[in-house]
Amino acid sequence: MIGKVKIGKSFSGICRYVFQEDKQAQVLDAEGVRTDSAAHMAQDFQYQQAQRPGLGNAVLHVALALPAEDAAGRSAEQLSELLREAGRAYVQEMKLENTQWALVQHFDKKHPHAHLVVNRVDNEGQTIADNFIGQESRRVCQRLEQQLGLTVAEQRGREQAREVGPTHRQAVAATPKAERVADWQRARHEVATALSQTAPYSASFAQLQTRLAPYGIEVKTSVHQKKAGPAVFGVVFEKDGYQMKGSEVGKTFSAGNLQKTFDQHQAQLPEVAQVVGQAVQRYSAEALRQLFAQQAQEAAQKAQETARQTTQAPTRQQTPDREQSGGLSM
């Protein structure tokens, strides 16, 4: 099981997201909030959040996902019950029982998954710390895999990588720690390869995420709010359950250097657009018609010139026959 953690500000936004109709949303479980609509749920979260008006990032959002293998042999109802059980166990293991939360299942992807929305302002008005919460979520998911008999997500990621073929480091790894290091190194290499093929053609972190999605890579950014607007100061990439800073992938892929790459791409866009426009204009239907007409006219003129030269060529006159002696008869 994988639990991807995100911290946010807007309960209205996250509640609208989890209730989207195209996700076929289904509320599996909840504590302290109404579940009949996104608006009512958000109001309940916001009422408790008001006890800590200075806490901007009060939304704890966890995407809980099970590998597709766990869906085999289970009906839709059984999968929903499994996600409900996993979600409630996750809340208990993460010590989130003393606050509001809601677990909503989505059906828009092949693998079973649900979204857990938690209020970081608990029922006593205290703030739930988020220090190292990502690492703790990973450890909790590993424990729940054993308790619930689920497929080990990270192990499955390693198996899929080995199906392609192990790296030398993976092949010689003799301990679990060495295996984890080898798998992390492989993931880092795959992220670097994907970035080299996508970053130069992206104009923003959002566009980069779209281009990296087919590679199974997620982009997580850290943002500072400045007068000129939000500015990204850090970036983390995640693949197969392994996370790495942009600078760990390579100096070129740090947040600052990626932003420079995006700026260069944006600066080139007008020039590219001009070249494309000229090409379109040059090879438009009317331009091609004129080009073909000109070529046909030149060919006709050349044919006429060839015929004229042939007609005006001098005719060679034949010499009259003479007697063999070559002289005059006497």
Side-chain angles (χ1 to χ4, degrees):
M1 184 173 76
I2 296 176
K4 294 184 179 180
V5 178
K6 293 183 179 180
I7 305 296
K9 295 183 177 182
S10 173
F11 279 113
S12 296
I14 189 61
C15 290
R16 285 196 302 270
Y17 172 76
V18 298
F19 270 88
Q20 286 185 75
E21 291 185 3
D22 59 348
K23 307 290 186 181
Q24 304 176 48
Q26 176 182 341
V27 179
L28 299 179
D29 207 348
E31 286 289 343
V33 293
R34 288 170 287 176
T35 60
D36 59 319
S37 70
H40 285 164
M41 183 179 287
Q43 288 174 5
D44 294 341
F45 276 126
Q46 291 166 346
Y47 181 79
Q48 184 156 303
Q49 179 190 9
Q51 298 180 73
R52 286 282 175 177
L55 179 63
N57 296 321
V59 179
L60 173 59
H61 171 209
V62 186
L64 296 173
L66 306 178
E69 289 84 352
D70 287 328
R74 288 187 170 97
S75 65
E77 293 76 12
Q78 289 173 330
L79 278 176
S80 295
E81 179 57 28
L82 178 60
L83 279 170
R84 190 200 68 78
E85 183 181 2
R88 184 167 281 276
Y90 181 92
V91 169
Q92 294 174 349
E93 291 288 332
M94 292 289 290
K95 297 179 175 56
L96 300 172
E97 307 101 310
N98 190 37
T99 190
Q100 299 167 310
W101 58 269
L103 182 68
V104 184
Q105 183 178 3
H106 284 176
F107 296 87
D108 57 327
K109 296 181 180 179
K110 293 182 179 180
H111 61 274
H113 68 286
H115 296 268
L116 177 66
V117 182
V118 181
N119 199 337
R120 289 188 58 223
V121 179
D122 68 17
N123 299 336
E124 309 301 327
Q126 301 300 312
T127 300
I128 297 174
D130 62 348
N131 298 337
F132 307 106
I133 195 168
Q135 292 89 328
E136 181 61 20
S137 174
R138 183 176 176 181
R139 287 191 288 268
V140 165
C141 287
Q142 290 173 343
R143 290 200 296 268
L144 292 180
E145 286 170 342
Q146 296 178 355
Q147 294 176 17
L148 302 176
L150 302 173
T151 300
V152 180
E154 291 190 9
Q155 179 61 35
R156 180 58 186 140
R158 290 194 291 269
E159 290 173 357
Q160 290 174 338
R162 292 180 191 278
E163 288 171 4
V164 178
T167 63
H168 174 72
R169 189 187 293 266
Q170 287 175 320
V172 301
T175 65
K177 181 178 180 180
E179 285 187 1
R180 288 193 298 271
V181 172
D183 294 337
W184 183 89
Q185 290 288 357
R186 182 187 185 118
R188 183 180 68 84
H189 175 73
E190 292 177 351
V191 169
T193 300
L195 281 170
S196 65
Q197 297 172 358
T198 56
Y201 310 103
S202 302
S204 65
F205 283 100
Q207 194 173 86
L208 180 63
Q209 172 64 89
T210 301
R211 295 183 184 278
L212 288 175
Y215 296 89
I217 299 171
E218 183 177 356
V219 181
K220 299 179 179 180
T221 56
S222 300
V223 180
H224 273 320
Q225 293 294 332
K226 296 186 176 181
K227 291 184 178 180
V232 176
F233 69 91
V235 61
V236 172
F237 300 98
E238 180 173 329
K239 181 173 175 59
D240 297 334
Y242 294 98
Q243 294 186 353
M244 58 215 70
K245 297 179 181 178
S247 57
E248 291 178 318
V249 180
K251 292 182 178 180
T252 308
F253 306 124
S254 66
N257 286 331
L258 280 174
Q259 188 59 59
K260 292 179 182 178
T261 301
F262 300 154
D263 294 341
Q264 291 174 357
H265 179 68
Q266 289 178 334
Q268 293 172 353
L269 287 178
E271 182 180 348
V272 172
Q274 182 179 4
V275 172
V276 172
Q278 292 174 347
V280 171
Q281 184 177 5
R282 181 179 302 172
Y283 296 106
S284 64
E286 178 62 23
L288 288 173
R289 187 193 65 77
Q290 294 177 0
L291 176 61
F292 293 152
Q294 181 181 355
Q295 291 177 344
Q297 183 179 4
E298 291 175 352
Q301 291 175 350
K302 186 175 182 180
Q304 292 175 0
E305 180 65 20
T306 301
R308 185 183 62 79
Q309 292 177 355
T310 302
T311 303
Q312 294 180 355
T315 304
R316 183 178 180 182
Q317 297 180 353
Q318 296 182 350
T319 304
D321 293 338
R322 294 178 178 269
E323 298 184 48
Q324 264 187 347
S325 61
L328 298 175
S329 57
M330 299 296 295

